[in-house]
Each structure stands twice: as C-alpha cells, then as structure tokens.
Amino acid sequence: MISFFKKDFLVYWRDRKEIIISLITPMVLITVLSLALPGWVENSTKSLQMKVAFVNLDDEETGLQQIRELLSQQTLPQETKDLLGQQLEQSAPAGLFKQVLQEDSVKEIVTLVELDNEEALRRLEDGQIDALFTIPEGFTFAVLNKMLLNEGEGSEILITADDGSLQVDVLKDIIGSFTRTLNLQAAIRHVSAGNPDLDADRLMADSEIGGREIVPGVKIVTSFQYYALAISIVFALMISVTVSSKAIAEKREHTFERILLAGSKPVNYLSGKMSSTICLSLAQLVIVLLLSHFIFGIFTDRSWQFWTGMAAVLIMMSVCMGALSSLFTALVFRLDDQAASGISFIAVIIAGSIGGSFVPVYVLPEWLQAAGEWTPNGLGLSVLLKWLQTETINDLSDAMLKLAAFSIISFGLAVWIFPKRGRVQ
C-alpha cells in the first residue's frame, strides 16, 4: 500500500499549478464572501430561534389562597405579615416565568404558545414545536411556601424535548438564570428578616440582580469563521474527486491490469488512493484554516481543548474524504469515464449545496439542513460550528462516530464494487 500511496501523492504533487490554485482560491472566496455577505451569518438569534409550548398544570388561584390562609395562621408580627402579603401579590411564580419568556430580548429567539398538555405533546412529536415548558400541579403553593416562609422543598419546572440541541440548552440557561435569581432574592429576604441590621434592598442591589446577561457558553459565529470552515471543507471534498480522477488516465493506460499481473491486491490500490487523499485533504484544511486564522484572527483566545477538538474533527473528516476518493475511484473502473466523472461532480455539488458550503446553512429550509447533516461536509461543518459556540464534548463525540461510520460504509462499498480479477469497463 505504501508504494501506491507514494505514487498517488507524487502524482498530485507534480501538478504545482493546481496546488497553488487550490490554496489561493479558498482564501479569495473566504475574503469576498465574508465581506460581502456578513448579514447571512452574523445574525446572533436566527440559528437559536425556537418554538416553545407553555403548559400550566397548576391552579394558581388555589395556590395563592392556600398561602394566604397559611400566612394568617403564622405567629408573626403584623408588620411582617403585611410585608409577606405584598410580596405574595407580586410573586406568582408561573406568571413570572411566563413574563421572562415574553421579554423583548427573549422573544427574539423564543416564540411562546400556550397549550394544554396533550396538544403540546402531540405537536412536539410532530416537530411543530421544539420544547415544552411545563408548570407542574401544586407549583404555586410549593414555591411560595419555600420562598416566603422557608418551608417545604419547593418545586421544579419541567423542560421536555425530543432530543438535546443548542436551542434547548439556551432555553435551559435562560430559565436556570432566572431561577437562580429568584432563589437568591428569597435567600436575601430570609437573611435580612432574621437580622434587622441588614438592608434587603441594599443586599439585592449589591448582588447585581437583573440587567442584561449573556447566555453562558454560547458564542456568536462571525462571517469569517463560517466561511473559513465552509470553504476549506468543500475544497477538501474536491480533492477526493481530483485524486480519483487520476485513475482515469491509469485506467486508460491499463495500470490496473499491470497491478494484478504483479500480484498486488486490488484493495492496496484503493488504500493508496484513500491514504493519499487523507493526507492531502488534511493538509488543505490545516493550511487554509491557519492562514485564515493568522490573516483574519478568526480563532483568537481559544483554549487547547478547542484546538484539540477541532484537530480531531478535521482528521476524521479527512478520513471521510479518503473513503469518498476510494469510492469515486471504484466508479471509474466500473463505469464509463464521463459517467463516473459526472456522478462524482454532481455528488460534490449536491453535498456542497445542502451541506452549507456554498450558501450558509442557516438560510436553507429545515428539511435541507437535516438532509445536509447526512453529508460528510455538512456534518463536519455543523459540529465545528457547534464546537465554536459551546465546545460541548457530547456534540463532538456523536459527530465523530457518524463520520467514522460514513467512512467505513464508503470504503466497504468501494471495495465491494471495485473490480477484482474480472474485466474492467
């Protein structure tokens, strides 16, 4: 296999003009597209937009009435009872959570619809909504009993989704942040109530409750970052076609027959194509991304974890490109030259279009976005964008498994359709 690897690598390396073009063209496209179409990418809310069902299973009025009766039975100073009564009228928790999800800053990404539980679950199964935000039964009484009287265990809100996603994570962060604020306010009130020397208003002001908060762990993808990844990936995909196209001349010159006469196994020939494509596509990705980083500063202030994760994805993507190259090579030996070239070219165009390499994936319909993630470039671009925003290991590991499965299937298919010792078309 090593001799075949050297042959394919040197054949590609011999065409220096093509190599220079494959490096310069991506940089030109990244620059032009990033400057000309920043609005297609740098919309901080479009990729996070979600439709959330608000399901309230609690009887809020009953819960408030129960708390009023409980307050009237407490052996507390009348002044304290009056203060707790005022807080009670302002602290209906279900309404507070609903207000948070209807604030102007949140409405940019969350569309809230009020539904009953059965209808909400049906729409979730049909994919019409992204998540359910459920207020459980007895929520008002349990929360206010804990907040105002520091009794009981409180309650929990429920967020239900079919699967994990960046949108669901953002929703959890929004609700979690507001919940922590409520808990902190309740704790400050209890501390100040037990110590007359403490001023609750001053403590809450010092704790900087409220104001604008950036959702933790989510970074905005810039146009230069997006196009650097998208363009470098699609040019790496084109290398698989270029390397496999060299087999047309080798087929015409009966190279394969000479390989069989020499006693070499056909799989070694395919392995040479695959391994050389892996190295060439990886070099293409690394060079273009490093040039983009040093010229445009697209990955500044990133940790070693970020670079390690990105390297792992790029290596696995290069393996996918190598597997595709072996598959395209097998088509060359099974089909007419023009038919094989046409199929390879069409496959790259389709993968590039629906995978977000030619146009931003955010502007595509949802069904095309879903289809694009079945392509190696679409899956790689999707996971790298998520990695840029959140650096979540789970997203990375899932994508690596999918890319590995794609590589194994593609190479297995190539070996299966590649001619053995029969007649070459």
Side-chain angles (χ1 to χ4, degrees), residues 284-420:
Q284 170 84 20
L285 288 166
V286 170
I287 292 173
V288 172
L289 288 176
L290 285 179
L291 285 175
S292 300
H293 171 63
F294 288 118
I295 295 174
F296 306 119
I298 58 176
F299 303 128
T300 56
D301 300 326
R302 293 289 184 166
S303 64
W304 281 107
Q305 175 180 314
F306 169 80
W307 289 106
T308 303
M310 174 166 281
V313 176
L314 295 182
I315 291 172
M316 188 54 68
M317 285 187 60
S318 298
V319 174
C320 279
M321 304 309 174
L324 279 175
S325 179
S326 65
L327 181 58
F328 293 153
T329 299
L331 291 177
V332 168
F333 283 90
R334 277 296 183 185
L335 303 175
D336 178 75
D337 294 349
Q338 292 183 349
S341 298
I343 291 174
S344 301
F345 179 75
I346 292 172
V348 171
I349 293 298
I350 293 175
S353 299
I354 67 176
S357 297
F358 298 141
V359 294
V361 67
Y362 306 128
V363 305
L364 297 176
E366 290 187 4
W367 67 274
L368 273 182
Q369 292 183 34
E373 291 193 5
W374 287 92
T375 65
N377 60 307
L379 179 58
L381 178 60
S382 174
V383 71
L384 285 175
L385 291 175
K386 289 181 180 178
W387 186 246
L388 272 173
Q389 292 180 301
T390 63
E391 296 186 27
T392 303
I393 297 294
N394 289 337
D395 292 335
L396 202 63
S397 58
D398 291 344
M400 297 286 282
L401 290 175
K402 292 178 181 178
L403 289 171
F406 185 92
S407 302
I408 293 172
I409 293 172
S410 297
F411 187 72
L413 186 60
V415 173
W416 180 61
I417 66 176
F418 194 75
K420 306 301 185 289

Side-chain angles (χ1 to χ4, degrees), residues 219-236:
K219 301 178 179 68
I220 296 175
V221 176
T222 67
S223 60
F224 279 99
Q225 288 174 331
Y226 181 90
Y227 289 115
L229 292 173
I231 298 300
S232 62
I233 289 172
V234 78
F235 270 82

Side-chain angles (χ1 to χ4, degrees), residues 241-312:
V241 177
T242 302
V243 173
S244 64
S245 67
K246 305 295 183 183
I248 295 177
E250 296 171 348
K251 174 185 173 182
R252 189 181 304 118
E253 295 170 2
H254 304 288
T255 301
F256 182 63
E257 286 85 344
R258 292 200 294 271
I259 290 173
L260 295 180
L261 290 174
S264 296
K265 296 180 180 179
V267 70
N268 290 339
Y269 179 80
L270 280 181
S271 299
K273 293 288 185 184
M274 180 175 179
S275 57
S276 61
T277 304
I278 290 173
C279 293
L280 291 169
S281 59
L282 182 60
Q284 170 84 20
L285 288 166
V286 170
I287 292 173
V288 172
L289 288 176
L290 285 179
L291 285 175
S292 300
H293 171 63
F294 288 118
I295 295 174
F296 306 119
I298 58 176
F299 303 128
T300 56
D301 300 326
R302 293 289 184 166
S303 64
W304 281 107
Q305 175 180 314
F306 169 80
W307 289 106
T308 303
M310 174 166 281

Side-chain angles (χ1 to χ4, degrees), residues 191-200 202-203:
V191 170
S192 60
N195 190 341
D197 294 331
L198 296 179
D199 185 351
R202 180 182 61 80
L203 285 174

Side-chain angles (χ1 to χ4, degrees), residues 50-56 93-114 131-135 157-159 167-168 170-179:
M50 68 192 92
K51 197 168 186 178
V52 178
F54 185 85
V55 179
N56 191 351
L96 291 177
F97 280 104
K98 186 176 178 182
Q99 289 176 16
V100 169
L101 295 175
Q102 291 180 326
E103 289 181 356
D104 292 339
S105 58
V106 178
K107 286 170 65 176
E108 293 180 2
I109 60 175
V110 176
T111 301
L112 196 66
V113 290
E114 293 190 57
L132 270 68
F133 180 85
T134 305
I135 302 294
I157 51 177
L158 305 176
I159 296 178
Q167 289 90 337
V168 175
V170 170
L171 179 63
K172 290 179 180 178
D173 287 331
I174 293 172
I175 299 303
S177 176
F178 181 67
T179 302

